[in-house]
Amino acid sequence: MSSVSHLVETVDYDRTKLRIRLLHIGFGAFAKAHVLVFHDEMLRRTASDWGVAVARLNSGADELTGLDEADGLFTVGEMSGDDLSLRQVGAICATVHPKRDGVDALPNRIADPDLAVITLTITEKGYCLKDGRLDEDNAGIRRDLATPDAPSTAIGVLVEGLRRRQAAGLAGLTILSCDNLPANGELCRRAVLDFAGRLNPALAEWIEGHCTFPCSMVDRITPAMTDSSFATLENALGHADRNGILCETFRQWVIEDRFAGPRPDWHLAGAEFVEDVAPFEDMKLRMLNGSHSFLAYLGALADKETIADCMADPAFRQAALNLMLNEQAPTLSVPDGVDIKAYAEALIARFENTALHHKTTQIASDGSQKLPQRLLAPIRQHLKDNSPWPLSALAVAAWMLYCRGVSRTGASLPLNDPLSARIGTIVQETDGNAYVDRMLSLSEVFGDDLPGSAAFGSTIKSAYQRLQTSDIASVLKA
Ligand code: CS2
């Protein structure tokens, strides 16, 4: 990376005109590089008063205070190979953290009359779902149902905020999920309505009648920041920005056009408003995220640190492309106007971006939450159609081997997963085929259908055995 400072696109709009009309919950790396960049681009293109408040729920209160100290300004660096272009984002007017500002701060922000839209990046597990419904056994949900006016989960916070809105006689809101789940808006709606319905059916009815939960497909590769990426950013900026973020140049946002009230002009920044997001979601979740998980587990087992390291190995690169074209694309109803082969090739080029340092172990986290939509949904289709799915089988088997916590050369692999305690017990108690069988009994991951499928079980066992006994690259080549 060159040491000369790069041109920064500084904020060129009047920030004093902004009112808080958008609240983002789950403000982390991805939101900085995606939602906030689209929003900033919109503010640059039109005279708009849509200011943003950003919130986190658990960790990160100090980071938000750091952002306040920088007057809400932060830098986004878009990287491709040796190129780095910098943008200053000025959309943020306020930050909220319940641990810093008190438990009422976030529900009150939701009940502010100016607010019209809430965007969410709370990760798959933040929705507290089981089989598409609210998981009432989830510890956070149980706690929030007992003390709904002091909520700790995102779902509890949303419902308490909406209750205050209803009580104040205000309009409803648009609640826009930006997480990598199929039908993310619908799942969010279900979780919110289930929670509200348990407290007060009239509140659930009000939410259903006054709020919308559009689905959306979000895409921008944004690795977690490291000391080295902060140094790269500092080098380019000429000064440090602890609030900054580095990401790829590509960004995409496809949003179901179903807003309860006013809608930000995000189309001016390249967002697409469509009637049906499902084909875009499935394409992205399977082709990009499915291949990401494939590379993450197999790559980590083969001691590859990053996705770009995987891409530098011809066996991995070819296998990822074959997975996309032969096992994922055939299960999709491709959105109009998309050339799926070109889409796959563009994904490979994005994965090759050596500037990103996207760690395989980062993508490997929360596998129990990611496998169903990324890999198991297409496998179910193959089982139905009787078509082959050898690479998808390797990905699932590689996840199981990864969960045992050691790479093929004995390096230790971190298991970050909400099911880690149960998985840890299975690892302790079983081995070989018995281990695969016990892992298959995790119904949150495999449902009730897949463990009963002899074809599924035997294919995973055979893939698992091959991964255990042969070198990963030669398994991929075979
Ligand atoms: C990745 C995603 O960490 C992961 O699971 O697959 O964060 C991926 O980088 C984004 O969805 C890209 O849009």
Side-chain angles (χ1 to χ4, degrees):
M1 194 69 61
S2 95
S3 60
V4 274
S5 37
H6 295 239
L7 197 63
V8 190
E9 280 190 50
T10 45
V11 167
D12 63 356
Y13 43 88
D14 183 357
R15 299 180 76 212
T16 63
K17 297 257 171 10
L18 302 177
R19 305 182 282 138
I20 296 173
R21 302 180 68 190
L22 172 70
L23 168 67
H24 185 86
I25 301 180
F27 183 68
F30 183 77
K32 285 183 187 176
H34 187 274
V35 177
L36 269 294
V37 167
F38 276 91
H39 200 84
D40 180 76
E41 187 62 27
M42 174 194 79
L43 295 176
R44 288 166 190 268
R45 284 173 187 258
T46 185
S48 167
D49 64 351
W50 279 82
V52 186
V54 295
R56 293 182 61 127
L57 291 175
N58 302 307
S59 59
D62 292 347
E63 284 165 39
L64 292 186
T65 301
L67 191 57
D68 293 341
E69 284 160 5
D71 193 23
L73 293 166
F74 68 94
T75 318
V76 177
E78 301 175 347
M79 303 186 294
S80 175
D82 284 342
D83 293 334
L84 172 57
S85 54
L86 301 168
R87 155 202 301 267
Q88 190 184 40
V89 173
I92 295 177
C93 305
T95 69
V96 192
H97 200 295
K99 294 195 176 121
R100 184 192 64 186
D101 307 322
V103 79
D104 283 321
L106 205 40
N108 284 346
R109 170 57 62 201
I110 294 174
D112 187 287
D114 273 349
L115 199 76
V117 177
I118 299 178
T119 44
L120 300 172
T121 48
I122 53 175
T123 80
E124 295 88 344
K125 58 180 179 269
Y127 295 87
C128 305
L129 294 160
K130 192 169 179 195
D131 300 330
R133 301 298 296 248
L134 185 72
D135 179 7
E136 292 188 16
D137 293 330
N138 176 289
I141 293 297
R142 278 218 308 262
R143 207 171 41 236
D144 284 1
L145 283 171
T147 52
D149 54 351
S152 61
T153 65
I155 299 303
V157 164
L158 285 171
V159 172
E160 176 59 12
L162 293 172
R163 187 192 67 73
R164 293 182 195 193
R165 269 192 101 80
Q166 181 204 19
L170 296 171
L173 295 176
T174 302
I175 297 167
L176 179 57
S177 166
C178 303
D179 283 293
N180 285 320
L181 282 163
N184 50 12
E186 189 44 37
L187 290 173
C188 181
R189 176 176 160 276
R190 204 52 273 161
V192 165
L193 291 180
D194 283 350
F195 189 100
R198 283 279 272 99
L199 295 176
N200 175 0
L203 173 61
E205 211 173 292
W206 182 85
I207 294 173
E208 203 163 9
H210 292 79
C211 298
T212 61
F213 296 81
C215 294
S216 80
M217 179 270 249
V218 291
D219 192 4
R220 177 165 248 191
I221 296 175
T222 312
M225 289 295 278
T226 59
D227 287 346
S228 140
S229 41
F230 276 119
T232 300
L233 182 58
E234 177 169 354
N235 199 22
L237 259 182
H239 60 87
D241 181 358
R242 294 305 294 176
N243 303 304
I245 189 77
L246 297 182
C247 59
E248 65 172 338
T249 50
F250 181 91
R251 61 179 161 86
Q252 189 177 14
W253 198 4
V254 186
I255 305 166
E256 185 186 0
D257 195 2
R258 205 152 52 81
F259 282 63
R263 186 187 90 175
D265 292 329
W266 288 323
H267 58 283
L268 300 177
E272 298 159 75
F273 291 104
V274 302
E275 221 170 275
D276 183 12
V277 181
F280 294 93
E281 282 181 331
D282 287 347
M283 178 176 74
K284 191 261 174 173
L285 280 170
R286 294 180 191 186
M287 303 266 288
L288 189 159
N289 297 111
S291 307
H292 245 179
S293 292
F294 170 89
L295 292 168
Y297 299 118
L298 288 151
L301 288 169
D303 298 312
K304 302 210 184 283
E305 196 192 350
T306 67
I307 293 295
D309 292 342
C310 294
M311 288 292 109
D313 181 329
F316 276 77
R317 186 184 185 285
Q318 191 58 49
L321 186 61
N322 290 347
L323 173 70
M324 290 180 199
L325 293 178
N326 303 338
E327 298 184 31
Q328 294 169 328
T331 68
L332 298 171
S333 61
V334 177
D336 285 346
V338 174
D339 172 346
I340 203 71
K341 193 158 173 281
Y343 183 79
E345 278 158 7
L347 289 180
I348 295 288
R350 290 168 62 195
F351 291 175
E352 282 172 342
N353 188 343
T354 49
L356 288 177
H357 301 294
H358 202 185
K359 292 208 168 68
T360 49
T361 49
Q362 185 192 341
I363 299 165
S365 67
D366 289 351
S368 69
Q369 310 288 302
K370 294 175 176 173
L371 248 54
Q373 57 276 16
R374 297 180 178 205
L375 292 156
L376 301 174
I379 290 176
R380 282 191 172 89
Q381 186 71 39
H382 287 300
L383 288 169
K384 207 164 118 230
D385 297 347
N386 220 354
S387 45
W389 44 283
L391 293 164
S392 311
L394 283 178
V396 175
W399 170 67
M400 293 183 180
L401 198 52
Y402 180 97
C403 287
R404 298 196 74 94
V406 260
S407 81
R408 293 301 314 284
T409 60
S412 91
L413 300 170
L415 179 61
N416 293 312
D417 196 291
L419 299 192
S420 61
R422 274 161 70 199
I423 293 173
T425 309
I426 300 175
V427 168
Q428 291 292 314
E429 293 176 356
T430 52
D431 217 338
N433 280 349
Y435 171 65
V436 174
D437 277 330
R438 281 281 297 283
M439 290 295 273
L440 290 180
S441 73
L442 294 168
S443 63
E444 292 91 332
V445 184
F446 296 101
D448 298 324
D449 56 335
L450 291 175
S453 157
F456 182 74
S458 63
T459 310
I460 301 297
K461 279 178 192 151
S462 135
Y464 185 79
Q465 215 162 36
R466 270 175 289 138
L467 287 178
Q468 260 193 323
T469 49
S470 318
D471 158 72
I472 304 276
S474 50
V475 176
L476 288 177
K477 277 191 214 136

